[in-house]
Amino acid sequence: MSYPQPLLLVIDLNGTLVHRPLRNQPKHIIRRPFLAQFLAHLLASFHVMIWSSARPENVHAMVGQILTPQQREQLAAVWARDTLGLSEHEYKRKVQTYKRLSQVWASEDIQRTHPDYDPRDAREGTGWSQRNTLLLDDSSIKAQAEPYNLVQISEFENKRPQKLADELAEVIGYLEEAKWYENVSAFVRAKRFRVGKGWRWDWKVGTEGYAGDGSAAN
């Protein structure tokens, strides 16, 4: 395209942005390196929602640790385990979950966040759809319904090589190119995100005012 289109980014928490080292302390997190810069850039350049398979109380606690109150107000939505269509039995147990973006596109509240949204106009391009939505997640299984809308990030486990790496800068570089394509699914299909494939973003560009990362939060 000759100009970038707005993109909706649907972002996972645990394993993607943060690591939860203790099962009995689900609200204790360790942030991925450069997370503050990453989130500040996304909120300034894209439309963002959080979608996690964790329970609502834990999701909101994690979001409260990685985003300021002003940044939280910018989110299109915060979804948790109660949005995944699980039975009561499944909700309480560790089961495989799936994130179907069709649920996001069917949400009137989320559609209203598209800058060109018009409830009287159902034509493609006037709201969020397969053409302008990307799921950022460490699990490809969760994205089985729309595999070509997935930007798969390596699972963050707070290992030493990960603490020294800056994968999020490569994700930014990838997203900055994706927004110039009319159909991001076609872009993903042709150019899957892979670490070390030339995608890069310089954090020195426009980083004034970014909060420091820190390495852990309680």
Side-chain angles (χ1 to χ4, degrees):
M1 299 174 63
S2 59
Y3 56 89
Q5 70 161 326
L7 296 184
L8 175 64
L9 306 181
V10 182
I11 308 180
D12 178 47
L13 287 173
N14 189 34
T16 300
L17 301 185
V18 303
H19 173 60
R20 295 195 295 179
L22 303 171
R23 288 182 62 86
N24 62 345
Q25 296 183 37
K27 297 176 184 178
H28 170 64
I29 62 172
I30 299 173
R31 299 177 177 91
R32 196 167 198 138
F34 294 96
L35 179 59
Q37 290 94 324
F38 179 72
L39 291 172
H41 183 94
L42 294 192
L43 289 167
S45 305
F46 304 95
H47 298 260
V48 179
M49 69 172 282
I50 301 292
W51 196 1
S52 170
S53 58
R55 297 190 178 198
E57 62 271 22
N58 296 330
V59 169
H60 288 286
M62 287 188 280
V63 169
Q65 292 179 69
I66 64 175
L67 293 173
T68 67
Q70 294 76 19
Q71 289 176 322
R72 293 200 298 272
E73 291 179 4
Q74 293 179 256
L75 294 173
V78 177
W79 284 10
R81 194 171 186 81
D82 56 336
T83 65
L84 293 170
L86 301 176
S87 67
E88 183 177 354
H89 175 82
E90 293 169 331
Y91 183 88
K92 295 178 180 179
R93 287 163 176 77
K94 186 175 179 62
V95 297
Q96 180 59 57
T97 57
Y98 302 92
K99 296 176 181 177
R100 297 174 175 85
L101 293 177
S102 56
Q103 293 178 239
V104 174
W105 302 325
S107 168
E108 191 74 16
D109 288 338
I110 294 175
Q111 286 292 356
R112 289 194 188 100
T113 66
H114 191 286
D116 298 326
Y117 176 67
D118 184 347
R120 300 164 299 178
D121 190 347
R123 291 176 304 167
E124 192 169 20
T126 61
W128 302 120
S129 70
Q130 162 266 332
R131 304 176 70 86
N132 54 26
T133 305
L134 291 170
L135 173 65
L136 277 62
D137 205 300
D138 63 293
S139 170
S140 61
I141 296 176
K142 291 181 180 178
Q144 282 186 347
E146 294 92 11
Y148 297 116
N149 289 85
L150 172 68
V151 179
Q152 186 175 2
I153 302 173
S154 66
E155 181 183 2
F156 179 57
E157 300 175 294
N158 197 38
K159 295 179 179 178
R160 180 171 175 79
Q162 292 180 313
K163 292 190 284 187
L164 299 175
D166 187 7
E167 185 171 339
L168 295 183
E170 298 186 57
V171 175
I172 288 289
Y174 184 82
L175 296 174
E176 285 293 328
E177 179 163 345
K179 70 183 184 182
W180 291 90
Y181 286 77
E182 183 180 9
N183 184 341
V184 293
S185 284
F187 171 76
V188 170
R189 187 165 188 164
K191 299 183 179 183
R192 284 280 191 178
F193 174 74
R194 296 286 186 272
V195 175
K197 295 298 182 180
W199 313 106
R200 189 66 190 172
W201 185 257
D202 185 353
W203 291 123
K204 295 193 289 292
V205 177
T207 57
E208 295 82 359
Y210 284 0
D213 267 356
S215 59
N218 294 305

